Amino acid sequence: VTEYAELLGYSTRTLSRACQTATGQTAKQILAERLLLEAKRLLVHTTAPAASISHDLGFSEPTNFAKFFNRSTGSTPGAFRRQHTL
């Protein structure tokens, strides 16, 4: 969120307030939703390993990606892929 706020020339707090007013969600929640959507798309539509996807999405460690994904979906990236591909 901090990087986006800086790119826009606003403080993190101002960006988060604006997002909250416009969508009812904080900037962090919006970014997390978007990251999750992209992660799901990549898991279903590519054969890239989860570690590679985590790197592409900006996670510092694959374990951080796995924890984020599991916390958000209740499933590991690998299990999600197996459930949603033929």
Side-chain angles (χ1 to χ4, degrees):
V1 174
T2 302
E3 291 177 37
Y4 286 105
E6 287 174 3
L7 287 170
L8 294 168
Y10 293 105
S11 71
T12 302
R13 187 173 180 189
T14 299
L15 178 60
S16 213
R17 273 197 231 150
C19 290
Q20 185 79 38
T21 300
T23 67
Q25 294 181 305
T26 65
K28 183 177 179 179
Q29 290 170 320
I30 292 169
L31 289 173
E33 267 188 23
R34 184 61 185 102
L35 270 176
L36 183 60
L37 179 64
E38 185 64 10
K40 288 177 176 180
R41 186 188 73 76
L42 291 169
L43 286 166
V44 172
H45 296 291
T46 71
T47 58
S52 176
I53 291 171
S54 74
H55 180 266
D56 292 346
L57 294 177
F59 286 87
S60 58
E61 295 291 328
T63 55
N64 293 339
F65 170 65
K67 287 176 189 176
F68 163 78
F69 195 88
N70 195 356
R71 190 172 50 249
S72 300
T73 66
S75 175
T76 65
F80 180 86
R81 178 178 267 162
R82 286 188 296 277
Q83 289 175 341
H84 292 89
T85 57
L86 297 176

